[in-house]
């Protein structure tokens, strides 16, 4: 029995764009398509664990990306596919992570700011606009658009299941999925 090498699917985007929603659905879809070993690495959980010591300034955010890329490398090496849902706002750190992980799929989860302000699932945009929290990406902290993502999703135009299908389609096209 040969071990399928794992890969990394990295979802980047503004808060509320849909990274966590898509990551969870994608993990299920991957299992349906025969990728049984899947680990979701989500920003919120990481902040509570692996990166609890880090802040939200550039150095903290870049260090978080570096650590997550390292964990992905370990998981991939053991045949586990990693799905990362992390704001990861800086292009250079994302590209460094991409360079480390052969075959990483970088997905920009894109959505216009007015729609995000309306969604505001955690109420954080409201707090950021009221000045109650600082360093909030999209409000008073930058988000550098990915220059060369493998895929760009528009979550104001596509439903979550359509977004997942688009990712699965790309993985299929690139030969990441076991043939049925
Ligand atoms: N196509 C879509 N894909 C994903 N989420 C969508 C889509 N359309 C609407 N939504 C809604 O947008 C919200 C996205 O919230 P979610 O927590 O997934 O964002 P996030 O990118 O993980 O944010 P954060 O960076 O704050 O963790 C959810 O309420 C979800 O139901
Ligand atoms: Mg999230």
């Amino acid at each position: 029995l040969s071990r399928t090498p794992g890969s990394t699917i990295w979802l980047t985007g503004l808060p509320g764009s849909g990274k966590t929603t898509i990551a969870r659905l994608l993990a299920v879809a991957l299992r349906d398509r025969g990728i049984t070993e899947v680990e979701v690495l989500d920003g919120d959980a990481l902040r509570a664990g692996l990166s609890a010591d880090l802040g939200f300034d550039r150095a903290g955010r870049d260090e978080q990306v570096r650590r997550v890329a390292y964990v992905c490398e370990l998981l991939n090496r053991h045949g586990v596919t990693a799905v990362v849902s992390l704001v990861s706002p800086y292009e250079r750190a994302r590209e460094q992570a991409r360079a480390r992980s052969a075959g990483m799929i970088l997905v920009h989860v894109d959505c216009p700011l007015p729609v995000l302000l309306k969604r505001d699932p955690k109420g954080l945009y409201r707090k950021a606009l009221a000045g109650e929290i600082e360093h909030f990406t999209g409000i008073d902290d930058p988000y550098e658009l990915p220059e060369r993502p493998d895929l760009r999703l528009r979550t104001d135009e596509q439903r979550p299941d359509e977004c997942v299908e688009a990712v699965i389609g790309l993985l299929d096209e690139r030969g990441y999925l076991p043939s049925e």
Side-chain angles (χ1 to χ4, degrees):
L1 186 73
S2 72
R3 182 191 269 160
T4 317
S7 48
T8 296
I9 300 135
W10 191 294
L11 308 176
T12 172
L14 285 167
S17 57
K19 302 176 298 298
T20 300
T21 303
I22 292 168
R24 288 182 182 151
L25 293 171
L26 180 60
V28 175
L30 285 168
R31 290 186 188 109
D32 286 346
R33 295 295 299 262
I35 307 272
T36 50
E37 305 296 324
V38 183
E39 186 67 36
V40 176
L41 295 110
D42 186 73
D44 287 340
L46 293 164
R47 284 280 176 189
L50 185 71
S51 305
D53 57 321
L54 300 177
F56 289 86
D57 56 350
R58 179 168 190 152
R61 292 179 186 273
D62 283 354
E63 173 61 10
Q64 189 183 35
V65 168
R66 195 190 66 79
R67 289 182 192 175
V68 172
Y70 176 73
V71 173
C72 289
E73 237 181 294
L74 298 182
L75 290 169
N76 292 171
R77 194 190 296 167
H78 293 278
V80 180
T81 290
V83 178
V84 177
S85 41
L86 191 61
V87 175
S88 39
Y90 295 109
E91 176 79 353
R92 197 181 59 173
R94 284 191 306 256
E95 287 303 317
Q96 281 169 351
R98 202 182 202 179
R100 275 185 97 131
S101 161
M104 177 198 287
I105 300 284
L106 182 70
V107 180
H108 180 200
V109 182
D110 194 11
C111 185
L113 193 61
V115 176
L116 297 175
L117 295 179
K118 231 181 273 169
R119 278 186 192 167
D120 203 10
K122 300 178 193 163
L124 292 178
Y125 279 102
R126 191 196 59 73
K127 283 191 181 167
L129 287 170
E132 290 165 27
I133 49 172
E134 289 182 323
H135 294 300
F136 194 72
T137 305
I139 301 300
D140 63 345
D141 224 41
Y143 180 80
E144 297 176 357
L145 291 174
E147 284 175 21
R148 288 176 303 279
D150 294 284
L151 186 66
R152 181 167 280 133
L153 303 170
R154 278 286 301 261
T155 65
D156 58 323
E157 293 171 350
Q158 297 160 283
R159 293 191 315 266
D161 61 302
E162 292 173 323
C163 293
V164 170
E165 266 319 299
V167 178
I168 291 286
L170 178 69
L171 294 172
D172 204 4
E173 204 179 291
R174 300 215 180 153
Y176 284 69
L177 302 179
S179 45
E180 286 175 298

